[in-house]
Every structure is written in C-alpha cells, then in structure tokens.
Amino acid sequence: MSQPNIVLITVDQMRADLLGCAGHPIVQTPHMDNMARQGVRFEQAYSTTPICIPARASIMTGMEGHRMGITTYVEGFQLPTGETLPQLLSDGGYETRAVGKMHVYPERCHYGFDSMLLCEEGRMFGAKSPHKRGYDDYEMWLAEQGYPGQGFAHGMANNEYAMSPWHLPDHLHPTEWIADQSCKAIVRRDWTRPLFLWASFTAPHPPLTPLMRDLYLYERDAMPQPAVGDWAKSHSLYHERLAAAYGADTRTAKQADLAYRGFFASITQVDRAINRLIGTLREAGMLDNTWLIFTSDHGDSMGDHRIWFKANFLQGACRIPLIIVPPAGAGREGLTAGTTWTPGLIDSSPVGLQDLMPTCLDIAGIAAPDELDGRSLLPIVREPGQSAVREMILGEFGVTGKRSLMVTDGKWKYIWYEEDGRELLFDISRDPQELTDLSGSERGQLKRLKTDLTARLAAREADPAVREGALAASGPIRSLSEREKALMAQYYNPRGLH
C-alpha cells in the first residue's frame, strides 16, 4: 500500500463539548459526528498553551510551549526549528499544502509547505517589521470579486462577542473560501505523490458573523446558560484580569444569547464545509487511502464561571475536540489487523496538540525527531482504552511570575496560579463543568497532582515557581481595584475598511 494521504482539518476557538457526538443537545454537527462514528474521538484532548500562535506552533513542531520559548501570545514569533511537520512530510515524499489560518511569522514563510493560501482575519502582514506587506490571499480574492477591503465591513471585531449575520453574498464568507480552496487543492494535487493538506478554518473564532441560513437552524432554540461554580465568586488575579478585559461583568443576557447563536451557527457552517471536503476526496478516489484528523487550536470559556475568551485552563478554554479517522478502505484493514479496534470508540487518556506531528509522521511511515514532547496516537487509535501515551499532561500559560499552570490525568485536574498562589482541584470525570472546587477536601488527590506539577517545574533550570521543593507564589492574594479593571477595557481588535 502506498503512503496514505493525510487531511488535517482544524477550526479556531471551538471547545470540545460543542459537538452532537459529545452530547450537546443543540449544536448541529452531523458530519463531525459521522467522523467520530468512523474513527476515534479523544474526549480528553487539550490545548496546553490555549491561544492561537503557541497552539499552532505545537502542531507544527510537536513541542510544548515552554520548549519552544512561547507560553503566551507573541506576535512575530518564529518557529524555533526547521524540523516542522510539513517539512518532514515533504522530505518524506509528500506534497504539502495549507489553506486558511496559519498565524506564523514571517507570515509568508512556508515552513516546509509546498504552497500556502492564507486567510488571517484581516491582519496586515509585516508584524514586528517596519514594512507593510499587504494582506492575505482571501483579502486579495475578495477584492477581485468586487469587494476590496470590505471583509470586516460588518463592524464586528475579531476578539469580541457581539454577533451580526454575514453582510456580503454567502459565497464570499471566509469559511466558504477556505472550503473551496481546500477542495481545489485536492483536485489539483500532484497525482505522483501522497497529499498532506491542512485545511485551517478561522471559524468559530470571532468575529461572530455566521450565514443567515445557519442562524435559522437555531431560531427556535433556547440557548444554554453559562456554567458558574460557587468557587467563581472569588477569582484568582489571573481570572479577574480575563473577566475585566473581555467584559464578563458588563455583558447582558441578550448579548450572551446572541454570542452562543453565533458560535453554534458558525460551527454548523464549518460542519457543512467539512462534508464538502470529504465529498471531494471521495469523488477524487482518495477516501479509501486518506486519514482524516479534526481538531481545534483551543476553546473558549463562553461565559462559564464569569469568563469569556481562551488563555485559561478551565474546560471550555483548554479542552478541544480531536477525532482521528483511518482510511475507509484497505488502509483501515491494515491498521486493524490483529487488534480489537472498532469504529466509533471514545478514548479518555490525556492527549494534546503536540501529539499531532508524531501521529502524522507515524501514519506516513516517517521517523519522528528525537526528544519531541508529543507522542504518536496511533497505538490508541488501534486499541482505544487499551493503551495511553502519557499518564498526565501539563498546561502552561502566561509570562513568568503571572502564569496559570495545570496538570490533569483526564479524570482529575489541578490548576495553580503563580501570581497569588490560588489553586483549584476538580474531579472532571464526575464534574465536567467544574462546578465544585475540591482543593479543600480531597487532600490526597490535591497532593498527588500538586506533587506532579512541582516535579515538572523543578526539573527545569531555576524555575522561580519552585522554592525549596514547593510551589511558591510571586505575590500575595489580592483583588483588582475598580480602576485596574477599567484600564483593561479594550476594543477587541476591530478591523476597518482598507
């Protein structure tokens, strides 16, 4: 059997529970659900640095944020290695194509891709440089259609939670463009080489501008209410800053309701686009020898525990969908020979975005670089529930002195806030919405996870969060003043006419 094709489909800012197959009662994702029935769904998959740039860098390199030197949002960040996923696949004989949002720097650096067609949410290229280098491929295409600079004329900013239906003809929507260009990449592929395609959708990341045809699906639905634990009455400084910056205490119930509708409709639009991709693979005769991988770079708290946005380790923001689907034909038979593999199974071991690179290389039969943080997930795909690639996964976000850190084994989760030393402990197997903090009662579990986190940090060279073998906060417990909160108000990165 020749090397299989690999199609990696990512969305941006979609949390793991917004899937019908994950039990969500409202959101419509029939084609994602069908992928889960055909493959393996990882219900404890995490974005270990849950914001766009470091999360995508983990996919590209197989490394965690600390190893790469990026544990927060840093514009201008360049990948610290030439051994990227597309480069290694290219070296191994693959045609490598990317369509959609990459969020790499320099923005036109291919990092091993044979071709890239970019849709970067209206950003002007040339970040961290004195030069302005124009806009992405979607913006140029939109101008060719007669709508130059009007992609953001809807007035919604790309980090806010207001919602307005798409303002241009439906076929001009970024989700439709990414799907169309991804399908064309399949049709125009080099038939002499296997294909690696990364179809990277920007939705449901704000701006929340879904098509009316998808909004209509939710017209009669009552939207769910955010989950709020009793512990959320007294947040850490870390969470207080997120709440202040993203308007948690000023957003009205109506605004929250509209934001939910925008998220759900945007996800449903992507779901239809994914089915178009699968249909194109089928009609091209490729589906029987193509692996499909679906995931998100991170989630969104969506008002849970009085927090909107990502960049934290509550379930909504850091737990992500991950579905791996083996080929529909002979490739699946080879995978499953001598195993107990059955389609549609769910695995609950802790995995992360850093695992995607070694998984893709394993699928391709290409050796992975030494000392990656990620591990191939193929052993789990072959026998879900029978094996695991790790016992515990680490999450780390923020600058030193103000970090949020997490460890979880997929059943229990411990979060520690470096700035003030506050901590949270959740039994996520029984309390998936994290309504009850058990740090004051489950002392045995607290000690186990806290010891694991301490050991991981102590193994580094002089991490200031560990002193004399114990976690040490950089400052005292306090609350933000009203003035501090007011100074954190922002415009959420609006884009104008250009």
Side-chain angles (χ1 to χ4, degrees):
M1 192 70 176
S2 62
Q3 285 175 299
N5 307 296
I6 304 169
V7 177
L8 171 61
I9 304 168
T10 59
V11 289
D12 196 321
Q13 208 149 316
M14 177 178 170
R15 46 193 280 168
D17 57 359
L18 296 185
L19 286 166
C21 59
H24 200 282
I26 298 174
V27 69
Q28 296 298 301
T29 55
H31 306 111
M32 298 175 193
D33 299 343
N34 191 55
M35 289 177 67
R37 286 191 290 271
Q38 295 294 317
V40 176
R41 181 168 67 88
F42 293 81
E43 66 174 359
Q44 293 298 326
Y46 289 89
S47 178
T48 56
T49 309
I51 205 164
C52 300
I53 294 173
R56 292 164 185 277
S58 283
I59 296 174
M60 288 280 277
T61 67
M63 298 180 188
E64 296 174 358
H66 175 74
R67 282 276 311 284
M68 292 185 291
I70 180 170
T71 56
T72 188
Y73 185 93
V74 181
E75 283 203 357
F77 176 77
Q78 298 185 31
L79 297 181
T81 175
E83 292 184 311
T84 64
L85 172 58
Q87 185 63 64
L88 292 172
L89 288 172
S90 182
D91 292 344
Y94 275 74
E95 178 184 12
T96 54
R97 294 179 176 267
V99 178
K101 180 178 177 180
M102 297 306 294
H103 221 159
V104 296
Y105 296 94
E107 294 91 342
R108 291 288 183 186
C109 181
H110 283 207
Y111 285 111
F113 281 107
D114 294 335
S115 70
M116 296 170 71
L117 288 173
L118 300 178
C119 180
E120 299 286 1
E121 300 170 322
R123 294 181 181 86
M124 178 173 278
F125 288 1
K128 300 298 180 181
S129 116
H131 307 290
K132 298 301 181 185
R133 295 192 169 121
Y135 292 92
D136 60 37
D137 300 289
Y138 166 74
E139 292 278 353
M140 290 191 287
W141 173 83
L142 192 62
E144 292 169 358
Q145 309 311 303
Y147 297 89
Q150 296 185 46
F152 278 76
H154 46 62
M156 301 293 102
N158 75 348
N159 271 319
E160 72 172 331
Y161 295 91
M163 190 276 284
S164 180
W166 180 244
H167 60 300
L168 299 177
D170 284 5
H171 74 283
L172 300 179
H173 195 285
T175 295
E176 303 302 307
W177 183 85
I178 293 168
D180 288 345
Q181 296 302 321
S182 296
C183 290
K184 289 177 181 178
I186 293 169
V187 173
R188 294 169 176 167
R189 72 195 183 282
D190 178 350
W191 294 356
T192 67
R193 292 188 287 168
L195 174 67
F196 171 69
L197 170 64
W198 184 348
S200 180
F201 291 93
T202 58
H205 188 298
L208 299 173
T209 56
L211 300 181
M212 282 300 301
R213 63 189 287 193
D214 296 305
L215 273 173
Y216 284 143
L217 298 178
Y218 300 98
E219 187 176 20
R220 298 184 180 181
D221 289 314
M223 292 295 104
Q225 297 297 308
V228 182
D230 54 10
W231 56 269
K233 296 175 184 176
S234 179
H235 270 306
S236 66
L237 272 173
Y238 189 94
H239 285 175
E240 280 194 357
R241 288 193 177 93
L242 281 177
Y246 293 94
D249 295 328
T250 60
R251 186 164 291 106
T252 67
K254 177 71 171 180
Q255 289 169 335
D257 180 276
L258 290 172
Y260 271 65
R261 293 177 191 277
F263 266 105
F264 293 0
S266 298
I267 290 168
T268 295
Q269 184 185 1
V270 173
D271 184 76
R272 285 189 292 101
I274 288 173
N275 203 41
R276 195 156 20 128
L277 274 172
I278 293 172
T280 303
L281 289 167
R282 177 178 173 273
E283 294 191 349
M286 298 170 64
L287 200 56
D288 285 355
N289 193 32
T290 297
W291 285 75
L292 301 172
I293 301 174
F294 170 74
T295 192
S296 179
D297 59 349
H298 50 75
D300 192 294
S301 289
M302 292 179 65
D304 286 352
H305 314 295
R306 295 179 37 246
I307 298 173
W308 294 78
F309 201 58
K310 51 245 184 184
N312 69 82
F313 290 111
L314 300 172
Q315 290 289 77
C318 69
R319 194 167 69 94
I320 53 175
L322 176 58
I323 301 169
I324 299 180
V325 187
R332 176 172 295 185
E333 295 170 8
L335 168 81
T336 60
T339 75
T340 58
W341 188 83
T342 303
L345 294 184
I346 301 169
D347 186 83
S348 58
S349 55
V351 300
L353 292 175
Q354 62 269 39
D355 297 325
L356 294 185
M357 175 180 177
T359 300
C360 290
L361 294 176
D362 199 359
I363 290 170
I366 297 170
D370 294 335
E371 299 182 356
L372 291 184
D373 296 315
R375 300 289 181 268
S376 172
L377 301 181
L378 284 199
I380 299 179
V381 174
R382 291 188 177 101
E383 297 188 272
Q386 305 300 311
S387 59
V389 297
R390 63 176 60 80
E391 295 181 0
M392 200 91 70
I393 199 164
L394 169 71
E396 180 176 4
F397 192 93
V399 298
T400 301
K402 295 183 178 181
R403 288 172 293 178
S404 173
L405 296 125
M406 170 203 75
V407 287
T408 180
D409 59 5
K411 298 176 181 178
W412 289 84
K413 182 204 286 185
Y414 174 70
I415 308 173
W416 182 73
Y417 302 94
E418 183 180 18
E419 188 172 6
D420 55 16
R422 287 183 182 266
E423 57 189 0
L424 295 168
L425 177 70
F426 299 111
D427 181 354
I428 54 177
S429 63
R430 298 183 179 181
D431 179 21
Q433 292 186 308
E434 299 173 322
L435 298 175
T436 304
D437 171 27
L438 300 175
S439 61
S441 57
E442 291 285 347
R443 307 306 296 181
Q445 295 291 348
L446 180 73
K447 181 179 180 181
R448 178 176 71 91
L449 274 73
K450 193 169 186 175
T451 298
D452 183 272
L453 175 59
T454 305
R456 290 171 185 269
L457 298 179
R460 300 175 181 177
E461 185 175 347
D463 193 301
V466 178
R467 297 177 209 154
E468 298 180 356
L471 295 178
S474 62
I477 292 178
R478 71 176 184 90
S479 294
L480 293 178
S481 68
E482 292 304 314
R483 181 177 183 275
E484 287 176 306
K485 292 179 182 179
L487 289 173
M488 291 176 186
Q490 56 175 292
Y491 289 108
Y492 308 113
N493 296 340
R495 310 289 178 193
L497 297 178
H498 51 261

